[in-house]
Amino acid sequence: EAGVAQSPRYKIIEKRQSVAFWCNPISGHATLYWYQQILGQGPKLLIQFQNNGVVDDSQLPKDRFSAERLKGVDSTLKIQPAKLEDSAVYLCASSWDGAYEQYFGPGTRLTVT
Amino acid sequence: RKEVEQDPGPFNVPEGATVAFNCTYSNSASQSFFWYRQDCRKEPKLLMSVYSSGNEDGRFTAQLNRASQYISLLIRDSKLSDSATYLCAVNDGGNQFYFGTGTSLTVIP
């Protein structure tokens, strides 16, 4: 079974630039999560989708971050404009539904200079 | 109060030792509990689920204490390859999960 796919794996941008990340979850998984993980910390949930609806986006900085999952399958996360403090690993995860174990993609390591 | 709390460590133990980590959670309605392992610069990988009756997988044992609201992970006969960060994840009783900050383990030869 294919795992969660993410791209790109690495991205370096300057502050105030824009960046987008893509995630394709495990086939059949209804729930998709985007996490931000800063070095030395646990994953912090940014947004959770159930199919193509948002379950929780309370920790998403909506002035600069946006995410969509239009057809209930793959998803994109965008940052515009980026700040230095956005440097982190952005992890995508999926699960059958919100109560089951999550499986993570390899992440995108973002460096903002 | 944080939803989930873990002792960040680090735990430095010799090979062959037994080590245990705890993870406390604040929501008594929590229903699902998991332990993840995260290697340096890698994504978290599911280690095991934690059931009410406990769960054992080889050298690893996970237990749930609902009365005191914590889960535990016990690693017996530690191997060098067990060196990693161990994250707990707790469901809030609905559809949302919270991760701890992780406990760092280093197994020393």
Side-chain angles (χ1 to χ4, degrees):
Chain A
E1 179 181 87
V4 177
Q6 287 188 249
S7 67
R9 294 293 307 278
Y10 305 91
K11 191 74 177 179
I12 301 174
I13 61 172
E14 295 182 353
K15 59 184 179 183
R16 292 187 289 275
Q17 285 187 325
S18 301
V19 64
F21 312 129
W22 174 83
C23 172
N24 188 259
I26 292 172
S27 178
H29 280 193
T31 309
L32 185 147
Y33 311 80
W34 283 102
Y35 290 91
Q36 180 193 61
Q37 188 173 28
I38 293 172
L39 188 65
Q41 299 182 19
K44 171 189 165 185
L45 180 68
L46 293 175
I47 189 167
Q48 176 181 343
F49 293 95
Q50 182 75 13
N51 296 308
N52 60 349
V54 175
V55 173
D56 181 10
D57 63 356
S58 57
Q59 297 194 85
L60 187 73
K62 298 182 186 62
D63 58 334
R64 298 184 302 107
F65 286 64
S66 64
E68 60 183 13
R69 192 185 186 199
L70 292 176
K71 297 183 179 179
V73 181
D74 56 353
S75 175
T76 55
L77 175 70
K78 297 178 182 177
I79 308 175
Q80 180 180 12
K83 293 185 175 181
L84 295 177
E85 58 261 37
D86 298 333
S87 294
V89 176
Y90 291 85
L91 294 161
C92 178
S94 70
S95 67
W96 285 109
D97 74 19
Y100 289 86
E101 60 269 21
Q102 301 174 34
Y103 295 90
F104 285 83
T108 297
R109 186 171 302 275
L110 174 68
T111 301
V112 182
T113 63
Chain B
R1 183 182 175 185
K2 290 184 178 180
E3 296 284 342
V4 177
E5 295 198 65
Q6 290 184 257
D7 180 347
F11 285 69
N12 299 315
V13 302
E15 268 187 292
T18 295
V19 62
F21 313 130
N22 285 341
C23 169
T24 59
Y25 60 95
S26 61
N27 189 341
S28 60
S30 297
Q31 293 294 329
S32 305
F33 310 87
F34 304 95
W35 282 103
Y36 284 79
R37 170 194 170 124
Q38 187 171 28
D39 292 292
C40 187
R41 302 179 75 85
K42 297 285 189 180
E43 73 273 21
K45 290 190 183 294
L46 182 66
L47 181 65
M48 57 199 310
S49 304
V50 187
Y51 305 124
S52 297
S53 57
N55 189 18
E56 185 173 320
D57 183 4
R59 298 182 293 108
F60 297 82
T61 300
Q63 295 199 315
L64 167 64
N65 186 316
R66 283 196 183 276
S68 299
Q69 295 186 202
Y70 73 88
I71 60 173
S72 63
L73 178 68
L74 181 78
I75 306 176
R76 290 181 297 277
D77 188 24
S78 298
K79 311 290 185 191
L80 296 177
S81 57
D82 294 334
S83 297
T85 295
Y86 292 83
L87 297 160
C88 62
V90 177
N91 163 269
D92 70 346
N95 286 324
Q96 296 178 32
F97 271 95
Y98 298 92
F99 279 83
T101 54
T103 297
S104 174
L105 171 67
T106 300
V107 181
I108 303 164

